[in-house]
Amino acid sequence: MQATQEPAPARKKVIFSAIQPSGTITLGNYLGAIKNWVALQDEYRCIFALADLHTITVRQEPAKFRQNTLQAYALLLACGIDVTKSLFFIQSHVHTHAELAWILNCYTQFGELSRMTQFKDKSAAHADNVNAGLFTYPSLMAADILLYQADLVPVGLDQKQHLELTRNIAERFNGIYGATFTVPDAYIPKTGAKIMSLQEPGKKMSKSDENANAWVAVLDKPEDILRKFKRAVTDSEAKVRYAEGKDGINNLMGIYAAVTGKTFEQIEAEFDGKGYGDFKVAVAEAVIESLRPVQAEYNRLIADKAYLEQCYTESARQALAISRRTVEKAMRKIGFVKSAL
C-alpha cells in the first residue's frame, strides 16, 4: 500500500521592517513597534534591518554614529529579536540596498517624491542641508522592502505614504517588465500601543522632543523613569478612568495596560478611590520592572562585541544572498549585460 504524501508546509509570509540607529530607543518605540516585531517572529519570515543608510540624510558625527549603530543592534536583540528565527542586519552591509535604490530612482517620478510629506517636514527642519538623499529617501525605502519580496510591512501613520509609493513603484515596474516584485501590503497589528508624550499627550512620544521629561528611553535608569512619570501631565478630575478629554490619563493607562496586560476596566477598578499620584508611581514601577530584563540583557550583549559581529555578519550574508537574486532579476529584465564577476 502506497503511503500518502504529507502536504508541504505553507510558505510563511515575509515581513520586512527597519529602524534607524539614531542612538535612543524610546518606550514608545518599544511598546508601539519593537514588541510587535518580536511577536511576529513565530508566525512570519521576519527580515529586520538597522537603516543606517537612511540615517545619513542628516549629518552624523562618525564615532557617535558607529556607537549608536552597535548600541541599537544590541538593544534590539535584548528586546527579543532572535537571529535564530529572523534576519537582523545592518543595512549598509548589504550593498544590494543601494544598488536597487538607484534602479528604482529611475522608475519613481519626480512629482511623486515632491509630494512626500516627510520630505517637506524634514526639509523645513534641516533647511541648511536639503540634500538629494533626503528627496530620494522613499526610493531607498522601496528598495529595502522589494529586495526581499516582502508580503507585509508594519507601518505607522507617518510611513503609510511611503508604503503606498513603494506599491506604485512595484506595480509600475511589473507593468513594464512583467512580474518582478511582490507588491507589499501594510501590516496593521491586532493590538498596538500608541504611546504619547508625557508632557504633551496630544502628540506622539519622540526622542527629538526638547523636553527630556516628555519621553522615556528603554535604557533610562529606574530613578529617571520614576521622576518622569511623576511629572507626567494629567488633568484636574483626579479619577483614573479612560474618557475623551483625558489625554494624559488615557496615555498612562495605555502604557500601564501594555506592560501589565491588564484591560482598562481592570485598571479603573484597581485604582478606584486612589489619586493620580498613586497611579503615576504604579505606572512607573510597572515600566521599570518590564524594562529590567531588557536592560540586563543589553548590558551583557554590548560587552560582547564579537558576538554582535557574528550575529549581524551572518544575517547580512543571508540577506545578500536573497536580495541579490531580486537585483539580478530586475537588471536582466531591464536589459543590463550580465556581469561575469
Side-chain angles (χ1 to χ4, degrees), residues 20-21 29 33 48 61 65 73 85 90 95 100 117 172 176 194 197 200 213 250 273 280:
Q20 288 195 42
N29 300 139
F48 301 125
E61 194 281 303
F65 185 28
Y73 193 89
K85 297 178 180 178
I90 298 170
H95 57 76
L100 186 61
T117 303
R172 180 177 299 132
I176 298 170
K194 186 178 181 182
S197 163
E200 296 179 70
N213 290 312
N250 294 348
K280 288 180 182 181

Side-chain angles (χ1 to χ4, degrees), residues 234 240 248-254 256 267 271 274-284:
T234 51
V240 178
I249 285 298
N250 294 348
N251 186 39
L252 293 178
M253 289 179 70
Y256 194 63
I267 295 168
F271 293 94
K274 296 181 181 178
Y276 287 166
D278 290 336
F279 181 51
K280 288 180 182 181
V281 170
V283 176

